[in-house]
Amino acid sequence: MKIVVTGALGHIGSRVIRELPAFLKGSEIVMIDDLSTQRYPSLFSLPTEGKYRFIEADVLKIDLNALCKGADVVIHLAAITNAAGSFEIRDKVEYVNYTATRKVAEACIKEGCSMIYISSTSVYGTQSETVDEECSLSDLKPQSPYAETKLKEESLLESLGKTEGLKYIICRFGTIFGISPGMRFHTAVNKFCWQAAIGQPLTVWRTAMQQKRPYLYLEDAVKALIFIIKNNLFDCRVYNVLTTNSTVGEIVEIISTHVQDIAVEYVDSPIMNQLSYHVLDSRFRGKGFKPEGTLADGIAETMKLFSGIINTFKH
């Protein structure tokens, strides 16, 4: 089996490329990344059983048809992913992310391979208490240019599936937490772990402490991708993929079991809202997938990375 991974050195990709050889024996893994974020450690100590090929290139500029030739699956992870920061670069986010997704999809159509597209549960902005993939358009109120583009990309794939025969699946991932060689610390959980470890106040959006939101443990995310490939689940549908729905207050409480005297600083954000909602993932679970991680697991392994510095930065 040949698997192409775009954005292969990022937070999700750097963990995926390490897990694939163990679950899909003999797979050839083509890794594409432009190294714009300089996450070179993502390439360190790759499993010896993997058949790896690394391509340093921009998805927008490279000949994807050649790289996807003979591939079975493309996992498309390459994107500008900072939702809060996307307000400052709205046009760039839409152009880069949408164009990259279209180019990957067209290569998959031409070469006959299936596509896993990673969307986000940030496309929801509902006033309903619960929401799923069958929600009304009124429940799809993306809170950032990043999320708006995700919906636009989803519509593109739906169109290409109907008109060009694209085989795909859309995974609306909850906010990722957990460790990887290419991990980032710009979203809740990982960001809070970092701030707590170095003695900084946890910067919480002013409206967010008791708002419920969906989160996805990175280990569960990787298992979900492998589950899709092994079960050939390319049915052109949208699936919410998450580990848990939790509040920031619950996250802070767990972190406080690892670090004493945590302070919270409330800040404003362009994507703050007053909404609290519970995202359902029963469609994906109905296919036989069951997430196994917990918030406590992800926080514990992340805080372990900082075990040598916790409390050493106390003011």
Side-chain angles (χ1 to χ4, degrees):
M1 176 174 283
K2 178 179 176 180
I3 302 170
V4 177
V5 184
T6 70
L9 306 189
H11 192 169
I12 299 173
S14 61
R15 183 75 176 264
V16 170
I17 59 177
R18 283 166 165 74
E19 300 288 344
L20 286 173
F23 290 91
L24 302 168
K25 303 293 185 182
S27 293
E28 175 188 357
I29 303 164
V30 179
M31 306 172 291
I32 305 172
D33 199 287
D34 66 0
L35 279 170
S36 59
T37 55
Q38 299 189 344
R39 280 180 268 195
Y40 297 94
S42 296
L43 287 171
F44 297 174
S45 304
L46 291 172
T48 56
E49 64 267 28
K51 298 178 182 178
Y52 292 104
R53 179 186 176 196
F54 174 63
I55 311 295
E56 181 182 352
D58 185 337
V59 169
L60 298 181
K61 300 176 181 178
I62 199 171
D63 182 358
L64 281 176
N65 291 341
L67 291 177
C68 291
K69 190 175 184 63
D72 298 281
V73 178
V74 176
I75 304 174
H76 181 41
L77 298 168
I80 299 173
T81 59
N82 189 340
S86 65
F87 289 87
E88 306 296 327
I89 51 172
R90 177 185 294 270
D91 291 343
K92 181 179 180 180
V93 168
E94 179 170 353
Y95 173 75
V96 171
N97 290 3
Y98 182 84
T99 306
T101 296
R102 184 182 64 195
K103 189 175 179 183
V104 170
E106 290 172 347
C108 287
I109 292 168
K110 181 175 176 58
E111 301 303 330
C113 45
S114 301
M115 178 178 178
I116 299 177
Y117 171 68
I118 306 304
S119 187
S120 169
T121 51
S122 64
V123 300
Y124 298 115
T126 179
Q127 296 187 34
S128 304
E129 290 186 4
T130 61
V131 64
D132 63 14
E133 301 89 344
E134 298 294 335
C135 70
S136 66
L137 289 177
S138 63
D139 290 323
L140 291 174
K141 294 181 179 177
Q143 301 297 304
S144 68
Y146 165 78
E148 290 171 2
T149 302
K150 285 295 185 185
L151 277 184
K152 185 177 177 181
E153 292 170 74
E154 289 185 15
S155 295
L156 169 68
L157 298 186
E158 181 181 2
S159 176
L160 291 175
K162 292 177 180 178
T163 62
E164 303 294 335
L166 174 67
K167 297 176 292 182
Y168 69 91
I169 183 173
I170 294 171
C171 297
R172 288 178 180 164
F173 276 8
T175 299
I176 292 289
F177 66 95
I179 66 173
S180 73
M183 70 190 298
R184 297 183 69 188
F185 295 87
H186 68 299
T187 55
V189 185
N190 280 9
K191 181 185 76 171
F192 296 150
C193 287
W194 165 253
Q195 291 173 327
I198 65 172
Q200 291 182 352
L202 276 56
T203 51
V204 176
W205 295 347
R206 199 173 304 279
T207 60
M209 185 61 84
Q210 298 307 319
Q211 290 177 341
K212 187 161 284 189
R213 290 289 188 273
Y215 295 91
L216 177 59
Y217 187 26
L218 184 51
E219 186 171 315
D220 285 334
V222 173
K223 289 179 178 178
L225 296 175
I226 292 170
F227 177 87
I228 289 166
I229 295 171
K230 293 182 73 172
N231 289 278
N232 196 31
L233 188 57
F234 298 98
D235 57 2
C236 303
R237 301 187 77 192
V238 177
Y239 291 88
N240 293 329
V241 184
L242 54 138
T243 298
T244 185
N245 288 274
S246 298
T247 65
V248 171
E250 291 167 340
I251 295 168
V252 173
E253 183 177 352
I254 296 172
I255 294 176
S256 68
T257 66
H258 298 271
V259 180
Q260 298 178 350
D261 303 322
I262 289 177
V264 173
E265 177 183 331
Y266 292 99
V267 298
D268 294 324
S269 168
I271 54 178
M272 286 195 311
N273 60 59
Q274 304 292 334
L275 308 176
S276 180
Y277 51 85
H278 184 105
V279 174
L280 301 178
D281 62 343
S282 51
R283 174 180 288 181
F284 196 48
R285 287 175 181 256
K287 293 295 182 180
F289 181 80
K290 182 179 180 181
E292 299 177 354
T294 66
L295 264 176
D297 293 335
I299 290 172
E301 67 177 10
T302 303
M303 296 308 298
K304 186 177 180 181
L305 295 177
F306 304 128
S307 59
I309 64 169
I310 289 177
N311 295 324
T312 64
F313 286 80
K314 288 292 183 183
H315 300 297

